[in-house]
Amino acid sequence: MPQEYKLILKHADEPGYTPDIECYLRHGGYDALKKALAIQPKDLPDGKKLSGPEQIREDVKISGLRGRGGAGFSCGLKWSFVDRRSGKPIYLICNADESEPGTFKDRQIMYKDPHQLIEGMIISCFANDVHLAYIYIRGEMVDGAKILNRALAEARSKNFLGKNILGSGYDLEIHVHRGAGAYICGEETGLIESLEGKRPYPRIKPPYFPAVLGLWMCPTIVNNVETLCNVKHIVAMGAAEFAKLGTPNNTGTRIVSLSGHVKKPGYYEIEVGKATIGELINDPKFGGGLRPGRSLKAVIPGGSSAKVFKAGEKFKLKKKDAEGKEILAETDMLDLPYDFDSLTAAGSMSGSSAIIVMDDSTDIVEALANIAEFYAHESCGQCTPCREGSLWMSKALHRLTHGEGRASDADYLVKIADNIPGGRTICAFGEACSWPVQSFVAKFKDEFVAKGKADEDRHAKEIESVGATAGLELAGGHK
Ligand SMILES: Cc1cc2nc3c(=O)[nH]c(=O)nc-3n(C[C@H](O)[C@H](O)[C@H](O)COP(=O)(O)O)c2cc1C
Ligand code: SF4
């Protein structure tokens, strides 16, 4: 049976656990940092030496840690792309924007256990020769920024930050920067622009890969809050132990934000891939099932930009049979293991690990209209396909939900959505705004067509009756 596995949230919700440093220290806080700073250079068989920081970077690779911000990219690989020869300073930014609709996991860490994030960041900075780092926190999280600033001051007072940290000779400062209140501030290059004091216009890649040309055109690492917390645990437990958590290529734990039509919405930490979508929705330890008398209609598995799954949908997934041979097995949507690879194989993504559950009371056209309105509002406007396309989709959905739809709107929506992504835009927002439209319409086309057709029929009748009245009046006028 699937269980919650609390690694990152081990203490956060324990009665009496507080965000102050004394409480953190009582729970073994900053021991992993001490361990990291004390790692001695290691001799390699080829006569080379691996420094302590290099060993941590190697361990992060071995751990298999994948980014928890959305794309699930290997953290160790990302760090290996950092240009270490430019002679410029290297920066690290913690992406704490957490603005993907449906996602509410990073804030649990920042509000309840801020020192865990700070310790993870200090170790990550030490590993990457970073001496100045930022936490870019979503602007609306006013209290979160206060809590983090207080925690940073506490860490400074104990010399976990500042000059010559714990006598190691290593210097580091971390600042909190409150975001500018836009979804696009979470996109890493938009975030960097915003941190530089400008509008959060994403930068085009290439050439502006943050690892080479990031903050102030210097090499920069951008990692999510949860990703950075994991680094602390990789050092604390060792990379090999960490890699035993979860499933192959999907290691560690993930905090899943579960919302919508379940009895127990909330955040649940699981070993990656050790619970299925169905278990997360129905198991009493997690969502506890749907509301009484309701049946499942759809699930968005990874935040609002992830492609929707329809209840009863089946996928062909690679599995090993009893003899260990790889086979293609038919898998129901509810039986998909909640991990990076299975969801990608099923044509969607685990994204920011936010599951949004919709039961049969959901008006699917209304649901998509809501999502599309968000994306139309949040497009930064730099790219024509995204700026115009997201607005056109939102307008079409607005008319469909306000009695002005057309039966052809379903095809119209897909035509627009198909013409936004695929390298036509500067950033992945193009994909993020198209995927919901493409998938909702493909999987629930009859509902979109029926709504549009009903509006057209009603209008036709109205015109007919207006015409008939006008005809009568005209006929009367001749008498
Ligand atoms: C439109 C858009 C919004 C994003 N918002 C967030 C966000 O709120 N938080 C986050 O961590 N990553 C967000 N990302 C992903 C970041 O660009 C980046 O990939 C991530 O912070 C890298 O961290 P990770 O490797 O630790 O996952 C967003 C991406 C896009 C395209
Ligand atoms: S894809 Fe959209 S959000 Fe991204 S840069 Fe272009 S207009 Fe802005």
Side-chain angles (χ1 to χ4, degrees), residues 66-75 78 93-100 105-106 183-189 191 205 222-228 352 375 427-430 432:
R66 293 171 69 168
R68 300 327 196 210
F73 193 76
S74 157
C75 182
K78 178 184 275 193
I93 304 170
C94 168
N95 189 343
D97 200 53
E98 187 158 70
S99 45
E100 177 76 10
K105 55 159 187 101
D106 293 339
Y183 172 65
I184 202 60
C185 290
E187 193 281 334
E188 57 187 8
T189 60
L191 184 156
K205 298 187 240 178
V222 183
N223 273 130
N224 170 261
V225 170
E226 191 185 346
T227 313
L228 290 166
S352 56
Y375 284 106
C427 85
F429 185 106

Side-chain angles (χ1 to χ4, degrees), residues 292-340:
R294 289 290 170 198
S295 61
L296 186 66
K297 183 161 185 176
V299 176
I300 302 176
S304 64
S305 54
K307 289 189 176 175
V308 71
F309 290 142
K310 186 175 181 174
E313 217 179 322
K314 306 251 186 294
F315 307 96
K316 292 256 188 251
L317 285 199
K318 278 186 193 160
K319 274 191 185 156
K320 296 240 160 93
D321 68 8
E323 286 145 31
K325 246 182 34 204
E326 207 164 74
I327 51 159
L328 275 183
E330 191 169 79
T331 310
D332 188 275
M333 177 267 277
L334 289 176
D335 297 328
L336 287 172
Y338 197 70
D339 63 39
F340 296 98

Side-chain angles (χ1 to χ4, degrees), residues 467-479:
T469 316
L472 277 179
E473 279 167 5
L474 217 58
H478 273 291
K479 274 186 186 168

Side-chain angles (χ1 to χ4, degrees), residues 19 27 32 43 50 65-66 75 92 107 146 174 207 223 248 253 354 396 412 417 427-428 430:
H27 289 78
D43 292 317
L50 265 192
L65 175 65
R66 293 171 69 168
C75 182
L92 184 141
R107 66 197 73 180
K146 281 186 194 153
I174 300 179
N223 273 130
T253 66
Y412 172 72
C427 85

Side-chain angles (χ1 to χ4, degrees), residues 30 33 70 74 101 121 137 170 207 248 250 270 285 289 292 341 344 350 364 375 392 399 422 430 452:
Y30 291 103
L33 173 63
S74 157
M121 282 184 73
I137 186 170
Y170 174 61
N250 296 270
I270 54 162
K285 288 190 285 304
D341 295 337
T344 305
S350 61
I364 217 77
Y375 284 106
W392 294 346
R399 65 172 178 255

